[in-house]
Amino acid sequence: MYRIAVMGDTDSIYGFAALGLDTYPVTDPVAASKKLRELAEGDYAVIYITEALADKLTAEIDHYREMMLPAIILIPGVSGNTGKGIQAVKKSVEQAVGSDIIFGS
């Protein structure tokens, strides 16, 4: 059975544990990169990563974008929304559909 993980700073992810998701508080890019590889090669189908942490893991995240699993989804952290999460979703939709279907952005 697949699982769901959440990675990022403690303040941004601690609430996800109450939903039954596995949380991994990491901020160091080296430790985060290692943890992402470990989760992606494990039994995780979805990995949520805070936008701030994702900025430090661009190459690693891009590596997994081409694969069926895991789905890596960027989420805003306590510091706010940078817009990178919605840009990543938009890019994925464009790749899947072949065109931009989100108008007015």
Side-chain angles (χ1 to χ4, degrees), residues 13 15 28 36 40 49 58 85 87 102:
I13 68 169
D28 174 62
L36 177 59
I49 302 178
T58 305
Q87 290 173 351
I102 303 173

Side-chain angles (χ1 to χ4, degrees), residues 4-7 9-25 48 75:
I4 301 173
V6 185
M7 294 176 54
D9 62 279
T10 302
D11 292 338
S12 296
I13 68 169
Y14 74 92
F16 289 96
L19 299 173
L21 306 182
D22 297 337
T23 57
Y24 298 94
Y48 293 104
I75 58 173

Side-chain angles (χ1 to χ4, degrees), residues 6-92:
V6 185
M7 294 176 54
D9 62 279
T10 302
D11 292 338
S12 296
I13 68 169
Y14 74 92
F16 289 96
L19 299 173
L21 306 182
D22 297 337
T23 57
Y24 298 94
V26 288
T27 54
D28 174 62
V30 174
S33 177
K34 182 179 177 181
K35 180 55 72 176
L36 177 59
R37 280 192 306 273
E38 179 183 313
L39 296 174
E41 293 169 8
D43 60 346
Y44 287 89
V46 178
I47 302 172
Y48 293 104
I49 302 178
T50 59
E51 292 173 337
L53 183 58
D55 278 343
K56 302 172 187 174
L57 301 174
T58 305
E60 291 86 351
I61 292 171
D62 287 344
H63 171 75
Y64 292 109
R65 288 241 184 255
E66 302 299 320
M67 298 180 184
M68 182 71 84
L69 290 177
I72 298 177
I73 302 169
L74 307 185
I75 58 173
V78 293
S79 59
N81 184 354
T82 65
K84 292 190 182 284
I86 192 67
Q87 290 173 351
V89 170
K90 184 177 177 182
K91 182 179 177 182
S92 294

